[in-house]
């Protein structure tokens, strides 16, 4: 037996009655001495770790469903499922289970689940009691039938026996015929009984009964029965909703009748579970586990069948990217793909990999680039959701695409720049879409998910691409709101600059700073080069004057991460630019208020003291101690002065112990002191851009960028968040100013 046929996915049912994926591996049945019997073992295909070890218990009821699924319960509220890649593998393991239990492999359920008390009670009953006698299916027997169905729900063995009787006698179809009769006669009492009966049959939790109830022939009558809840004054109109309000739209005609039927069935059954059936009580939570499984595996089949139909998917992509496609049609196509990707999460990992690779080969990323820049808010939102599925699946795939794209396209139409534009131009007052897009950008630029790829140069290549082609777009709002006229006031006198007061603008700048802070922590020399070339920290610290405290804190956090690296290049940059002044001004302006801003600033200086960063300590004491010495509610600044004096004493002692002939020459004073070349960098104004690495490529609009961005803001009546569909959205207008 090959491993392929035994490849299996392990699922467990969680507290929310959803199937959790525990992983994919290879299953085997083996005799384990310590378990004293035959066991099922599943080892992960990735690392061989044990995903599942389950003894085949002679008293456990195993169910075989849909040719590739084995389901059972090991304990109360703990259900397990094995989903096999091939039917042959499922059949082999099923035969092993039946062999241990002494059952015929042709059965779908090995035995009835019986608890100990019922087992003792039923052992003494005659064999004829194995069957439940159903009342004749007549109108005057409906109350008796309802009482019977309700009474068995508390007993697992009686539920199984009733389900078997209903299946053998074709009883459900007869009940649904009575439903039509009761409706025609306006027999309210009979309809109420039928509601209890059908609801009780659903709670029997039997897949074989669901196959009958959810067939095209029966499902609408089942929905009809569930409309007549006795607790309601008037029946609900679920059938009217399903047949008239809910319209099934085929974005591309589906020629496979089986696939169409499966889609209809899944939607209706999901509606029954989510809308019609009341929330189960604590005693009924396990009654619908099979219904959850039924929906779950239906979705797996739908995705698999659509994926195999390459002609269908090719046509969808062709229409999605066709300029002649009207807006309504394009919206339907994008929503289809969004739901399609959501369904794909039910696939096994290897099938999900194949699914996304199929989408990539068909051109999903170029298609998203088109629709994410459209005016239709609903289309852009759906496209963002699809993009998030792709980034979650494979950030490397997205990175590879955008780097190849950069060789053929201008910066303004690159996919990542389109994503950044959408983040900048989010019209939601709470910036919900911008937050989602920021998270996706963070994933794409995170070196941690670049390390395990086969392409060892991905990290350096992608970061070079990002800083050369995308970073200027990301920092556009930040640079525009900290323009040169505001910059001049920082570092000379106490700043009274009024920073962006618009709450939405402040939120956006906070998001951008959060992403830049992430870059400081993870990108080392790339972001260092950018910060020093653009004098970015000086621009960021202007935001310390914002009336929005959260934005001032974001600016402070950015500086704190830089200082936290304890990098002498950064330290000398801060000293040379006198960049502590806006921070100290903010501390003094805050006065005696004990708030988060006060605590965050104190913590920054406390870090410098504790870590004994000598260059910064000297700068702070020599330039700001007079302004800070009155602050006595913490010992931080006195501690800095003490550190400074101790270091001066040490240096004096070293100098006195060195012969005068050596003191006249340059020598290294400290383990962290800079060499001659590094000193020259800080002492020569004309060569400020010759930094740690070769300078990044200068973007084509760096020189006049802030002015053009301000003009763009003015055209939008004071806020660059306004949305104008006639002008192809604020994003397109922004990019016109940026790149043309």
């Amino acid at each position: 037996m090959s491993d392929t046929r035994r490849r299996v996915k392990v699922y467990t049912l969680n507290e929310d009655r959803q199937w959790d994926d525990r992983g994919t591996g290879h299953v085997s049945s083996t005799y384990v001495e310590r378990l004293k019997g035959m066991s099922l073992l599943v080892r992960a295909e990735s690392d061989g770790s044990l995903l599942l070890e389950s003894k085949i218990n002679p008293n456990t009821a195993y169910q075989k469903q849909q040719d590739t699924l084995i389901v059972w319960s090991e304990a109360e509220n703990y259900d397990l499922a094995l989903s096999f890649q091939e039917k042959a593998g499922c059949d082999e393991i099923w035969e092993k289970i039946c062999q241990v239990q002494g059952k015929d492999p042709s059965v779908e359920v090995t035995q009835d689940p019986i608890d100990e008390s019922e087992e003792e009670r039923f052992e003494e009953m005659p064999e004829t009691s194995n069957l439940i006698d159903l009342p004749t299916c007549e109108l005057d027997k409906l109350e008796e039938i309802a009482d019977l169905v309700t009474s068995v729900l508390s007993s697992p063995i009686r539920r199984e026996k009733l389900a078997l009787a209903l299946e053998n006698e074709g009883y459900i179809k007869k009940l649904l015929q009575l439903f039509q009769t009761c409706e025609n006669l306006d027999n309210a009492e009979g309809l109420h009984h039928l509601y209890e009966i059908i609801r009780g049959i659903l709670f029997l939790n039997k897949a074989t009964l669901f196959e009958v109830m959810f067939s095209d022939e029966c499902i609408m009558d089942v929905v009809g029965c569930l409309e007549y809840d006795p607790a309601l004054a008037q029946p609900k109109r679920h059938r009217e909703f399903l047949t008239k309000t809910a319209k099934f739209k085929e974005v591309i005609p589906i020629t496979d009748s089986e696939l169409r039927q499966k889609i209809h069935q899944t939607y209706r059954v999901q509606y029954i579970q989510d809308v019609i059936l009341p929330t189960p009580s604590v005693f009924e939570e396990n009654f619908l586990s099979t219904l959850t499984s039924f929906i779950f595996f239906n979705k797996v089949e739908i995705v698999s069948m659509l994926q195999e139909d390459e002609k269908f998917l090719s046509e969808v992509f062709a229409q999605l990217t066709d300029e002649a496609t009207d807006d309504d049609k394009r919206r339907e196509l994008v929503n289809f793909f969004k739901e399609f990707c959501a369904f794909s999460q039910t696939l096994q990992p290897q099938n999900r990999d194949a699914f996304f690779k199929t989408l990539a080969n068909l051109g999903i990323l170029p298609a998203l680039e088109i629709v994410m820049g459209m005016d239709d808010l609903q289309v852009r939102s759906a496209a963002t959701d699809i993009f998030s599925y792709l980034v979650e699946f494979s950030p490397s795939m997205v990175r590879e695409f955008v780097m190849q794209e950069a060789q053929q396209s201008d910066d303004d139409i690159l996919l990542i720049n389109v994503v950044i534009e959408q983040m900048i131009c989010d019209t939601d007052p709470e910036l919900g879409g911008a937050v989602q897009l920021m998270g996706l950008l963070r994933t794409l630029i995170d070196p941690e998910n670049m390390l395990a790829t086969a392409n060892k140069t991905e990290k350096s290549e992608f970061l070079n691409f990002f800083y050369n082609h995308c970073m200027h777009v990301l920092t556009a709002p930040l640079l525009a709101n900290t323009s040169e006229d505001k910059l001049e006031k920082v570092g000379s006198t106490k700043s009274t600059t009024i920073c962006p007061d618009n709450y939405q603008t402040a939120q956006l700048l906070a998001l951008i700073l959060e992403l830049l802070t992430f870059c400081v922590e993870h990108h080392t020399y790339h972001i260092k080069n950018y910060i020093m070339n653009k004098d970015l920290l000086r621009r960021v610290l202007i935001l310390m004057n914002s009336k929005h405290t959260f934005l001032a804190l974001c600016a402070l956090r950015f500086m704190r991460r830089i200082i936290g690296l304890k990098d002498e290049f950064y330290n000398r940059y801060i000293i040379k630019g006198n960049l502590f002044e806006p921070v100290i001004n903010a501390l003094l302006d805050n006065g005696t208020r004990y708030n988060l801003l006060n605590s965050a600033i104190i913590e920054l200086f406390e870090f410098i003291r504790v870590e004994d960063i000598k260059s910064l300590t000297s700068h702070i004491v020599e330039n700001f101690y007079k302004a800070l010495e009155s602050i006595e509610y913490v010992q931080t600044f006195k501690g800095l002065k003490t550190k400074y004096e101790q270091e001066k004493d040490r240096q004096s002692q070293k100098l006195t112990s060195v012969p005068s002939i050596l003191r006249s020459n340059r020598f290294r004073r400290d383990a962290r002191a800079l060499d001659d070349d590094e000193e020259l960098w800080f002492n020569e104004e004309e060569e400020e851009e010759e930094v740690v690495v070769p300078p990044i490529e200068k973007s084509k609009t760096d020189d006049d960028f802030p002015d053009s961005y301000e003009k763009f803001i003015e055209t939008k009546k004071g806020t660059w968040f306004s949305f104008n569909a006639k002008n192809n959205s604020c994003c397109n207008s922004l990019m016109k100013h940026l790149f043309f």
Side-chain angles (χ1 to χ4, degrees), residues 360-372:
N361 292 335
L362 289 170
I364 184 65
L365 288 168
L368 284 179
E369 201 167 58
I370 295 173
V371 295
M372 288 187 78

Side-chain angles (χ1 to χ4, degrees), residues 13 71 145-146 157 188 247 332 434 455 457 480 503 632:
L13 201 64
V71 181
I145 299 170
I157 183 63
K247 298 295 184 182
E332 292 174 1
N455 182 6
T457 62
Y503 177 71
E632 297 182 344

